[in-house]
């Protein structure tokens, strides 16, 4: 059983943060709920500094500003496992992204322990301890939390404190891999806190290629409306309209309320309470002049030259992976390869400065591969 302090008062948190500033690194984890809301709700924040573990309860009236100030420190390394959504949630709460992150899932991949390794599997590999994951489906917003739930949460940072130096030791044998771990951790923080402009979401919508230019204009408006609706109501995008429903709205583009009843799986709540706004978005799309409608997109895998281009990119990625002695998927997955082809072949050049560039063109990947990719994919 872990030893920890449950922090519910602002003064307690301030004292802990003063204590934590003595160290060059802290271990961090969060528990959150994001089932029926657009924005995740923090249920618990676990932090370990030295031998002191605290479970910070953000649900009550506690002032978290001292924690956010701690996490903004330029000289503090924040150790976290598979930060992903944590990066997004904390950036929203703090008002800025985390800095100086060391993601142990990324470190494990560079250390050759496995790609996308789960926390329990990593702990078992490096410590031999089999963690109890029976509380993983806890509703972290409920109060009070049971002792076994708090023990579970504390264990996440307690064992991460043990895993961290073991990973550093392995990576210190290859300083380049340690540098790349830090670079990739920073990149993932940046990636999770970037957003596409709402009016350009159609360019990354999976089946947009099925739409005509006029339907794309409708899709562009409906996707933007769906995002605004989800944010305003703080509900998941799928509660407003699922992706296949959005596609059907774009292709059928009903103009009257009765027409919404023919759309598959359109939420009755959306139809009743936001039907007028949805129809207005469709009308805006239909009103776009022919000359201003988006260019038609193609199914990427059906585009001329796709297979040779993909294979050439895969060869470049494989060569870089061999050079680094890591698995090719750590450099570029199939999706990342397709993303960069889509970028060069289908994203209008005028929009690229407004969008996050594909993974293979930026950070440590881009430093090695960008010139090769540009030579392979640039078309006159």
């Amino acid at each position: 059983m872990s030893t920890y302090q449950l922090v519910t008062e602002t003064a307690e948190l301030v004292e802990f943060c003063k204590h934590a500033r003595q160290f060059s690194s802290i271990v961090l984890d969060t528990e959150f709920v994001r089932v029926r809301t657009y924005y995740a709700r923090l249920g618990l924040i676990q932090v370990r500094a030295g031998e002191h573990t605290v479970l910070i309860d953000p649900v009550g009236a506690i002032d978290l500003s001292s924690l956010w100030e701690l996490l903004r420190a330029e000289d503090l390394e924040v150790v976290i496992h598979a930060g992903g959504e944590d990066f997004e949630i904390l950036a929203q709460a703090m008002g800025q992204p985390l800095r100086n992150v060391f993601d142990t899932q990324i470190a494990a991949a560079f250390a050759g322990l496995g790609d996308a390794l789960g926390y329990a599997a990593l702990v078992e590999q490096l410590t031999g301890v089999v963690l109890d994951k029976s509380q993983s489906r806890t509703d972290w917003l409920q109060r009070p939390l049971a002792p076994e739930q708090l023990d579970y949460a504390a264990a996440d940072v307690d064992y991460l404190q043990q895993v961290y130096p073991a990973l550093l030791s392995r990576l210190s044998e290859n300083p380049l891999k340690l540098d790349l771990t830090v670079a990739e951790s920073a990149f993932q923080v940046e990636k999770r806190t970037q957003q596409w402009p709402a009016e350009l979401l159609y360019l990354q919508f999976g089946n947009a290629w099925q739409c005509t230019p006029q339907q794309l204009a409708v899709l562009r408006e409906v996707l933007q409306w769906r995002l605004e609706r989800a944010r305003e109501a703080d509900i998941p995008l799928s509660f407003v309209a699922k992706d296949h429903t959005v596609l059907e709205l774009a292709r059928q583009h009903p103009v009257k309320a009765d027409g919404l009843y023919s759309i598959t799986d359109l939420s009755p709540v959306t139809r009743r309470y936001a039907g007028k706004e949805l129809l207005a978005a469709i009308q805006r799309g239909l009103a776009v002049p022919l000359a201003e409608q988006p260019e038609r997109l193609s199914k990427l895998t059906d585009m001329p030259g796709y297979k040779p281009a993909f294979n050439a990119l895969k060869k470049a990625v494989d060569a870089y992976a061999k050079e680094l002695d890591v698995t090719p998927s750590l450099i570029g997955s199939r999706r990342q390869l397709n993303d960069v082809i889509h970028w060069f072949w289908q994203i209008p050049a005028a929009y690229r400065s407004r969008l996050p560039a594909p993974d293979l063109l930026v950070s440590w990947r881009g430093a090695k591969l960008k010139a090769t990719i540009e030579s392979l994919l640039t078309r006159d």
Side-chain angles (χ1 to χ4, degrees):
M1 181 180 296
S2 299
T3 301
Y4 55 82
Q5 176 189 3
L6 180 60
V7 173
T8 60
E9 301 293 335
T10 301
E12 297 172 324
L13 180 57
V14 169
E15 281 303 309
F16 170 75
C17 290
K18 289 179 180 177
H19 166 76
R21 288 301 289 128
Q22 303 175 47
F23 301 94
S24 60
S25 66
I26 61 171
V27 176
L28 175 71
D29 189 28
T30 71
E31 306 296 347
F32 56 87
V33 176
R34 194 177 199 169
V35 177
R36 304 185 64 84
T37 59
Y38 180 82
Y39 298 103
R41 307 287 178 83
L42 275 170
L44 203 64
I45 307 168
Q46 306 99 286
V47 186
R48 184 175 175 109
E51 298 301 315
H52 193 178
T53 296
V54 294
L55 307 182
I56 303 164
D57 183 355
V59 175
I62 191 170
D63 181 355
L64 297 173
S65 58
S66 59
L67 176 63
W68 306 148
E69 184 179 355
L70 172 69
L71 296 179
R72 293 187 189 106
E74 295 184 7
D75 58 346
L76 180 72
E77 184 170 60
V78 178
V79 180
I80 196 167
H81 184 81
E85 284 187 284
D86 299 289
F87 300 148
E88 179 184 343
I89 294 162
L90 290 169
Q92 179 188 336
M94 294 168 56
Q96 69 178 64
L98 284 172
R99 59 177 86 209
N100 297 337
V101 169
F102 185 95
D103 191 313
T104 52
Q105 185 179 71
I106 293 169
F110 277 110
L113 299 177
D115 292 352
L117 200 61
Y119 177 64
L122 177 60
V123 170
E124 186 173 0
Q125 276 202 47
L126 293 181
T127 71
V129 174
V130 179
L131 294 178
D132 175 13
K133 303 300 289 182
S134 62
Q135 301 298 323
S136 59
R137 294 187 179 274
T138 287
D139 178 359
W140 294 102
L141 296 179
Q142 71 177 4
R143 291 297 182 272
L145 292 169
E148 56 267 25
Q149 294 169 326
L150 296 173
D151 289 342
Y152 166 90
D156 279 350
V157 288
D158 288 346
Y159 284 105
L160 197 55
Q161 181 86 328
Q162 298 179 36
V163 163
Y164 172 54
L167 288 169
L168 280 180
S169 177
R170 287 174 180 249
L171 291 172
S172 64
E173 299 172 7
N174 188 327
L176 175 58
K177 287 187 178 181
L178 179 57
D179 290 344
L180 292 178
T181 295
V182 173
E184 178 66 2
S185 297
F187 172 66
Q188 290 301 323
V189 172
E190 180 181 7
K191 183 177 178 179
R192 290 305 296 242
T193 53
Q194 290 176 328
Q195 294 182 346
W196 277 53
E199 66 274 19
L200 298 181
L201 287 173
Y202 77 95
L203 289 168
Q204 64 171 359
F205 190 79
N207 289 311
W209 59 270
Q210 296 180 16
C211 295
T212 65
Q214 184 184 55
Q215 292 168 347
L216 279 178
V218 175
L219 178 66
R220 179 173 62 190
E221 294 296 331
V222 172
L223 285 171
Q224 185 170 348
W225 167 82
R226 179 177 71 159
L227 179 61
E228 292 169 354
R229 172 74 179 169
R231 286 174 172 170
E232 289 173 2
D234 194 17
I235 56 177
L237 291 173
S238 62
F239 281 28
V240 181
K242 296 181 173 65
D243 282 356
H244 69 271
T245 302
V246 170
L247 181 63
E248 192 172 347
L249 284 164
R251 297 182 73 184
Q252 291 195 24
H253 44 75
V255 295
K256 294 183 179 180
D258 288 351
L260 294 179
Y261 284 89
S262 66
I263 303 299
T264 306
D265 294 334
L266 181 62
S267 164
V269 174
T270 295
R271 189 169 56 238
R272 180 175 180 180
Y273 295 105
K276 289 183 179 180
E277 292 82 0
L278 172 55
L279 290 171
I282 292 171
Q283 289 283 13
R284 288 195 297 273
L286 292 174
V288 174
L290 179 64
E292 298 175 18
Q293 291 172 359
E295 294 181 20
R296 185 154 195 169
L297 301 170
S298 300
K299 186 177 182 181
L300 194 63
T301 53
D302 289 344
M303 294 185 73
Y306 165 78
K307 190 171 182 179
F310 182 90
N311 289 337
L313 287 177
K314 184 72 166 60
K315 184 177 180 180
V317 165
D318 288 347
Y320 190 26
K322 184 176 181 180
E323 178 184 328
L324 295 177
D325 189 27
V326 298
T327 59
S329 61
L330 182 57
I331 310 295
S333 64
R334 173 175 287 274
R335 179 172 181 173
Q336 288 170 313
L337 294 174
N338 283 334
D339 282 349
V340 79
I341 298 174
H342 177 65
W343 176 266
F344 279 99
W345 290 3
Q346 302 213 74
I347 300 292
Y351 292 159
R352 292 178 193 166
S353 63
R354 300 175 57 199
L355 297 172
D359 296 356
L360 294 177
L361 294 181
V362 295
S363 189
W364 60 276
R365 293 180 180 87
K368 178 69 176 184
L369 297 172
K370 184 177 180 181
T372 299
I373 291 172
E374 288 177 339
S375 67
L376 288 171
L377 299 180
T378 300
R379 289 177 164 180
D380 296 333

